[in-house]
């Protein structure tokens, strides 16, 4: 037990149980301090609280050894949080690559869509947070396909009306999946609308124009381009020039013409291949 307390006192960032142990209160008391604003904390992507040991001094905790300790600044915490999010995104990327294996399009589709979308987002002056949300939405835009049979997703020929009806459910399934995760909840609307059409003839809601979330409109262009450039069971991949022609052909009907314009400009500038 002595060794355990010593280990905790050597840590600068604590979980709620460790913080409770140091100031000799219950874990629930620590949580109450956090919820009431008395104790500062950061939240991990998994929804857990982390507390700086220095912030416990207001509650009577004193570090017993007399060595001068370096205290973490807000910038340190922000950097640690960013690193944690990067690992979180990398984990999602690996999981989505596995899910992509079930589909007719080549593995890595979700990662490619996310990267294409972020290139467009950078050209549209998205903030770092907006780019991170766009990347996450790109990685997860097809997560709802986890609820669709692999026999349908990998079918080489034309889908029946019933099969297509089931496939069209995946944006709603995806919305429900991410809606249950606090960190991902802001992406739910984007994932729901990434298969809407600019002319209002998409699914599941039939919304049109700028009523469609901008990130969803960007993802629609990125996904279309990746589909055009992929080798499929029923056709070879289109060339870059042919893909540009196809994008321009559906600009204003299927796709947002302004986003298509930015996307094509990025191709001409060799930022997209």
């Amino acid at each position: 037990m002595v060794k355990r307390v010593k280990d905790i006192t050597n840590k600068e960032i604590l979980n709620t149980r460790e913080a409770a142990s140091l100031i000799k209160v219950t874990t629930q008391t620590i949580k109450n301090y956090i919820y009431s604003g008395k104790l500062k904390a950061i939240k991990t992507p998994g929804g857990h609280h982390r507390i700086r040991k220095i912030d416990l001094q207001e509650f009577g905790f004193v570090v017993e050894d007399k060595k001068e300790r370096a205290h973490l600044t807000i910038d340190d915490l922000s950097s640690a949080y960013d690193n944690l999010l990067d690992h979180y995104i990398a984990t999602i990327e690996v999981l989505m690559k596995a899910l992509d294996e079930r589909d007719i399009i080549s593995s890595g589709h979700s990662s490619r869509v996310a990267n294409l979308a972020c290139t467009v987002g950078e050209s549209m002056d998205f903030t770092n947070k907006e780019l991170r949300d766009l990347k996450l939405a790109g990685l997860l835009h097809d997560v709802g396909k986890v609820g669709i049979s692999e026999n349908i997703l990998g079918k080489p020929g034309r889908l029946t009306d019933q099969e297509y009806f089931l496939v069209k459910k995946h944006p709603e399934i995806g919305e429900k999946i991410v809606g249950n995760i606090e960190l991902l909840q802001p992406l739910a609307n984007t994932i729901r609308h990434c298969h809407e059409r600019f002319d209002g003839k998409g699914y599941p809601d039939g919304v049109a124009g700028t009523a469609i979330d901008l990130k969803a409109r960007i993802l629609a262009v990125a996904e279309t381009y990746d589909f055009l450039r992929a080798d499929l069971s029923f056709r070879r991949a289109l060339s870059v020039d042919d893909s540009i022609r196809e994008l321009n052909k559906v600009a204003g009907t299927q796709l947002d013409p302004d986003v298509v314009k930015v996307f094509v400009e990025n191709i001409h500038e060799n930022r997209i291949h």
Side-chain angles (χ1 to χ4, degrees):
M1 180 65 184
V2 173
K3 184 178 184 301
R4 177 62 182 161
V5 172
K6 184 177 179 181
D7 289 343
I8 295 174
T9 57
N10 285 333
K11 297 174 67 174
E12 295 295 335
I13 299 293
L14 309 170
N15 60 35
T16 52
R17 180 175 54 78
E18 292 167 338
S21 175
L22 285 183
I23 63 174
K24 297 179 173 56
V25 296
T26 65
T27 302
Q28 186 57 52
T29 298
I30 290 292
K31 291 180 179 178
N32 290 341
Y33 287 155
I34 293 170
Y35 298 145
S36 66
K38 293 179 181 178
L39 179 61
K40 295 177 183 177
I42 59 173
K43 218 171 201 182
T44 70
H48 303 293
H49 291 101
R50 294 293 181 265
I51 302 118
R52 295 191 306 171
K53 186 170 62 182
I54 189 175
D55 290 328
L56 293 177
Q57 292 180 348
E58 297 178 20
F59 297 86
F61 175 71
V62 178
V63 179
E64 292 187 358
D65 75 32
K66 297 180 181 179
K67 284 194 305 182
E68 185 176 341
R69 295 178 178 267
H71 298 303
L72 293 177
T73 65
I74 293 299
D75 287 342
D76 292 331
L77 283 176
S78 178
S79 178
Y81 184 68
D82 286 342
N83 288 334
L84 197 60
L85 280 179
D86 288 341
H87 287 300
Y88 189 67
I89 291 170
T91 302
I92 290 174
E93 192 162 4
V94 170
L95 294 174
M96 289 309 300
K97 281 182 179 178
L99 182 60
D100 285 345
E101 293 284 357
R102 304 172 68 239
D103 211 334
I104 192 172
I105 199 165
S106 59
S107 178
H109 167 70
S110 296
S111 294
R112 292 193 300 272
V113 168
N115 291 333
L116 290 168
C118 284
T119 299
V120 174
E122 288 170 359
S123 297
M124 299 176 76
D125 295 325
F126 274 31
T127 65
N128 288 337
K129 183 183 182 307
E130 289 170 335
L131 287 172
R132 178 177 286 150
D133 285 348
L134 184 58
K135 177 152 191 170
L136 279 169
L139 289 172
L140 292 165
H141 76 280
D142 276 341
V143 70
K145 287 184 177 179
V146 72
I148 309 298
S149 167
E150 189 170 338
N151 292 331
I152 295 176
L153 295 177
K155 184 176 179 179
R158 185 180 179 85
L159 298 180
T160 65
D161 289 345
Q162 177 62 21
E163 289 169 338
Y164 185 51
F165 173 81
L166 293 173
V167 169
K168 289 197 298 182
K169 288 293 182 183
H170 83 267
E172 296 169 83
I173 298 172
E175 177 193 31
K176 290 177 182 176
I177 290 172
V178 301
N180 287 322
I181 303 171
E182 184 175 351
L183 179 70
L184 302 177
Q185 284 172 356
L187 311 178
N189 188 55
T190 301
I191 289 170
R192 181 181 180 90
H193 287 159
C194 63
H195 286 284
E196 297 289 357
R197 289 172 53 111
F198 199 71
D199 60 8
K201 296 179 181 178
Y203 60 88
D205 299 320
V207 291
T210 56
I212 305 169
D213 176 74
L214 176 58
K215 291 188 291 293
R217 283 179 271 148
I218 292 173
L219 291 175
V221 178
E223 180 165 42
T224 300
Y225 184 75
D226 189 61
F227 181 80
L228 294 171
R229 296 283 291 133
D231 282 325
L232 303 175
S233 60
F234 53 87
R235 65 148 173 83
R236 299 287 294 173
L238 273 63
S239 68
V240 172
D241 287 341
D242 285 342
S243 297
I244 290 173
R245 277 191 284 273
E246 289 298 318
L247 289 179
N248 286 327
K249 189 184 297 182
V250 295
T253 53
Q254 177 185 339
L255 304 173
D256 182 334
D258 293 331
V259 176
V260 169
K261 181 180 178 182
V262 174
F263 195 97
V264 171
E265 286 173 352
N266 274 282
I267 295 176
H268 291 319
E269 292 169 2
N270 292 318
R271 300 183 72 219
I272 290 176
H273 303 286

